[in-house]
Amino acid sequence: MRKSHPLRRAVLATAATVSGIVLLLSLKPGSDPGSAAAAGGAPPAAESVQGGARPIGDGTVTGDAAQTQYGAVQVRLTVSGGKITKAEAVQAPKGGQSDQVTSSSVPKLNQAAVAAQSAGIDAVSGATYTSNGYKQSLQSALDKARAAAPADPGSGDTAEARTVTGEVAQTQYGPVQVRVTVDGGKITKAEAVQAPKGGQSDQVTSDAVPKLNQAAVEAGSADIDAVSGATYTSAGYKESLQSALDQAGGRHGGRRTR
């Protein structure tokens, strides 16, 4: 009988050992939490627009205007069933090259906001400033929508004061935008976050806006008189004020606004 060569026996033994190890490894269940996702399994659930907290309220809400190097950006959201169904920029940089950047980037940002259901969206290439302003105003709108959502009956939070910003009203001398704080169904504070400025408008604004703010709080509605000498500013103020009250909900000016 021929004896096996010692080197051959060593090679065969090594091969058998390697085969056994491979077999054991192939039978070992995966324990890495990320292995399912890496293999094409379901990824972790994305963060909801509520951020794990209070849901966002239905309706239309406009975020604060975000100032950028090339102009203001302001986002308006439409919410239905606690989800963003529409996003649009009511203000965006314009003039010169900004027109092209805005027309190219804003539709993409609008689409991204609806898809992400949050302000966690990527900037559009070539529109960094506009994208950052958009995200800032978008987050502001989400915060307002969340604040306007009905309180959980079991939370005891049934009379929470909230601050709402009305839509921008364009006037002959510039935009007017009003922010109100509502507590217990009453306006406790009103302020103009945008008003005509430059030249004679500075004097008109400084004189008229404080009077309009005071009148809004006293009236508890948008049914206020125009300030003499500031007809356009007063009309824009009332328009934006009514928009803010519509978003806040409740009874204002003797009628149900929501």
Side-chain angles (χ1 to χ4, degrees), residues 118-170:
S118 75
I121 58 178
D122 294 331
V124 174
S125 177
T128 304
Y129 290 101
T130 297
S131 297
N132 289 339
Y134 187 101
K135 291 167 67 175
Q136 182 179 335
S137 183
L138 172 57
Q139 185 60 61
S140 169
L142 288 170
D143 290 342
K144 293 176 184 179
R146 187 175 295 115
D152 181 354
S155 67
D157 183 20
T158 57
E160 180 182 355
R162 58 183 181 271
T163 300
V164 182
T165 305
E167 296 180 9
V168 176
Q170 298 295 339

Side-chain angles (χ1 to χ4, degrees), residues 229-253:
T231 303
Y232 290 101
T233 298
S234 298
Y237 186 101
K238 293 168 66 176
E239 181 182 337
S240 183
L241 172 58
Q242 185 61 62
S243 168
L245 294 177
D246 288 343
Q247 294 179 43
R251 288 191 178 276
H252 301 284

Side-chain angles (χ1 to χ4, degrees), residues 55-168:
I56 57 176
D58 291 352
T60 301
V61 61
T62 305
D64 292 341
Q67 299 298 329
T68 77
Q69 182 174 329
Y70 297 100
V73 181
Q74 189 173 33
V75 179
R76 177 193 296 150
L77 298 178
T78 300
V79 180
S80 179
K83 295 183 178 180
I84 301 172
T85 57
K86 183 179 180 181
E88 55 187 325
V90 294
Q91 286 195 80
K94 56 185 178 180
Q97 188 178 355
S98 291
D99 289 338
Q100 178 61 35
V101 173
T102 292
S103 64
S104 170
S105 63
V106 166
K108 296 177 183 177
L109 292 166
N110 291 338
Q111 183 178 2
V114 175
Q117 292 291 305
S118 75
I121 58 178
D122 294 331
V124 174
S125 177
T128 304
Y129 290 101
T130 297
S131 297
N132 289 339
Y134 187 101
K135 291 167 67 175
Q136 182 179 335
S137 183
L138 172 57
Q139 185 60 61
S140 169
L142 288 170
D143 290 342
K144 293 176 184 179
R146 187 175 295 115
D152 181 354
S155 67
D157 183 20
T158 57
E160 180 182 355
R162 58 183 181 271
T163 300
V164 182
T165 305
E167 296 180 9
V168 176

Side-chain angles (χ1 to χ4, degrees), residues 44 92 172 192:
Q172 183 174 330

